Amino acid sequence: MDEVIADARRAASAGREPGTLEGWQHGGKWFSYEGHAIFSRMAGQGEPLVLIHGFPTASWDWNRLWPMLTQQYSVLTLDMLGFGFSDKPVTYRYSIEDQADLFQGWIEGLGLQSVHLFAHDYGCSVAQELMARDQEGSLPFAITSVCFLNGALFPEVHNPLLIQKLLRSPLGGLISRGLTRGAFERNFRRLFGNQNPPDHQDMDDFWHLLTYNNGRGILHHLIQFMEERRCHRNRWVGALQQAQRPMRLISGTADPISGASMARRFRELVANPDVVTLRNVGHYPHLECPWEVFSAYREFRKRVT
């Protein structure tokens, strides 16, 4: 194992980065967006790297990569509105475009001239919208590179779980409010490969993030992003096909909803596709095999440079 990864492992084990969800929360800061509190974290030095999390979790998903990435880059992340430790208003009109507005305003407010994006799941759609804006010349900063982890980049090959379909249905409100820890855990575990499934502490953390600030009550609102992907398919897939910036997909191929089929589609529709596949890894590569993901990302950034 190379020196950078070894140093990162030593940093994590020595406690220089918070190893608990409580520590992650205490190390963050809040800012206001549309009158709502947004949780954020920033650390490291170097070129700005923005991490964009997925559904239904939060920025905590990146915690196992955090010690490695912050040794190389200036890393920024936040919990999007409706997720994690950020506010979760019940009557809010959630959308991918609004989440992109949140990131755009935050990055602009920090005075950053350019950023690299690293996105997962729901965050991939947010990144695609930001890419489309960049190509239109409407962003006040440049996107230097984009790396994707498992996400529905191409909605036609997305295979949602039954519970996700139910949350989108007319019964979604009842399903959301009535979701139990057991039902959540059974469905969430299906997303992982069989080599590194989440342990009991992981499930405690994910459940806490989901239920924080009455998060169960809005799941059926958040999940409407699946319809947004269909409606904006041409715009967001076009952003991939017209990309002039370096772009890589790191894909856990054991992911049942956006794994091997998504990687194949990326190779079919994107010119000169850069795809790294991780066998026996599911929907959360950055949790299941963070060292391999970091190695693939660092190699990508070397090529960008």
Side-chain angles (χ1 to χ4, degrees), residues 16 25 34 47 49 112 195 213 219 232:
R16 296 204 294 271
Q25 183 181 19
E34 299 292 334
E47 292 184 68
L49 169 60
L112 301 178
Q195 291 189 338
N213 279 347
L219 287 175
H232 296 287

Side-chain angles (χ1 to χ4, degrees), residues 124-125 127-129 131-132 135 148 151-157 228-244 247 262 265-266 268-271:
C124 292
S125 298
Q128 286 172 278
E129 172 59 26
M131 289 173 66
Q135 292 164 15
F148 298 105
L153 299 169
F154 309 96
E156 63 269 22
V157 291
E228 285 185 82
R229 284 172 173 164
R230 187 188 66 81
C231 293
H232 296 287
R233 193 263 180 200
N234 290 342
R235 174 177 174 81
W236 293 346
V237 171
L240 303 178
Q241 294 176 318
Q242 298 166 26
Q244 300 298 313
M247 184 171 59
M262 205 64 64
R265 194 66 167 158
F266 192 93
E268 290 170 357
L269 297 185
V270 174

Side-chain angles (χ1 to χ4, degrees), residues 75-287:
V75 188
L76 310 91
T77 191
L78 55 74
D79 289 350
M80 285 180 272
L81 190 63
F83 296 85
F85 295 123
S86 292
D87 281 354
K88 300 172 181 176
V90 174
T91 59
Y92 197 83
R93 189 171 181 177
Y94 295 96
S95 72
I96 294 293
E97 290 176 295
D98 185 65
Q99 305 285 14
D101 288 344
L102 165 61
F103 272 98
Q104 179 177 333
W106 183 48
I107 294 168
E108 182 179 9
L110 291 171
L112 301 178
Q113 300 300 307
S114 64
V115 296
H116 299 262
L117 302 181
F118 198 175
H120 172 243
D121 185 68
Y122 180 98
C124 292
S125 298
V126 176
Q128 286 172 278
E129 172 59 26
L130 290 171
M131 289 173 66
R133 296 179 187 186
D134 186 38
Q135 292 164 15
E136 294 167 347
S138 62
L139 284 185
F141 53 87
I143 296 175
T144 308
S145 74
V146 184
C147 186
F148 298 105
L149 289 173
N150 296 55
L153 299 169
F154 309 96
E156 63 269 22
V157 291
H158 182 231
N159 184 34
L161 299 178
L162 175 60
I163 193 169
Q164 293 176 303
K165 295 177 181 178
L166 291 173
L167 283 169
R168 284 188 60 203
S169 75
L171 297 175
L174 293 174
I175 300 294
S176 179
R177 290 187 293 271
L179 183 67
T180 65
R181 164 71 182 263
F184 168 72
E185 186 165 338
R186 285 192 300 274
N187 282 278
F188 197 71
R189 286 185 178 277
R190 291 180 59 195
L191 301 176
F192 287 75
N194 56 20
Q195 291 189 338
N196 294 295
D199 61 22
H200 184 75
Q201 184 60 57
D202 291 330
M203 295 310 307
D204 282 348
D205 292 340
F206 291 131
W207 182 246
H208 179 75
L209 288 163
L210 182 70
T211 57
Y212 188 89
N213 279 347
N214 190 34
R216 277 183 298 182
I218 63 166
L219 287 175
H220 60 301
H221 295 311
L222 290 175
I223 206 165
Q224 299 309 316
F225 69 83
M226 291 168 61
E227 178 64 14
E228 285 185 82
R229 284 172 173 164
R230 187 188 66 81
C231 293
H232 296 287
R233 193 263 180 200
N234 290 342
R235 174 177 174 81
W236 293 346
V237 171
L240 303 178
Q241 294 176 318
Q242 298 166 26
Q244 300 298 313
R245 312 293 189 184
M247 184 171 59
R248 168 170 283 186
L249 169 63
I250 303 173
S251 174
T253 57
D255 175 7
I257 62 173
S258 56
S261 60
M262 205 64 64
R264 283 195 299 270
R265 194 66 167 158
F266 192 93
R267 289 189 175 104
E268 290 170 357
L269 297 185
V270 174
N272 302 312
D274 181 353
V275 181
V276 174
T277 55
L278 304 173
R279 295 184 61 189
N280 300 315
V281 176
H283 187 64
Y284 282 84
H286 45 330
L287 291 171

Side-chain angles (χ1 to χ4, degrees), residues 30-65:
W30 277 260
F31 65 91
S32 180
Y33 174 72
E34 299 292 334
H36 301 291
I38 301 297
F39 173 82
S40 67
R41 278 185 60 96
M42 292 178 279
Q45 293 182 341
E47 292 184 68
L49 169 60
V50 177
L51 310 179
I52 312 178
H53 69 78
F55 171 93
T57 46
S59 62
W60 172 245
D61 294 355
W62 300 101
N63 79 91
R64 292 176 186 170
L65 278 180

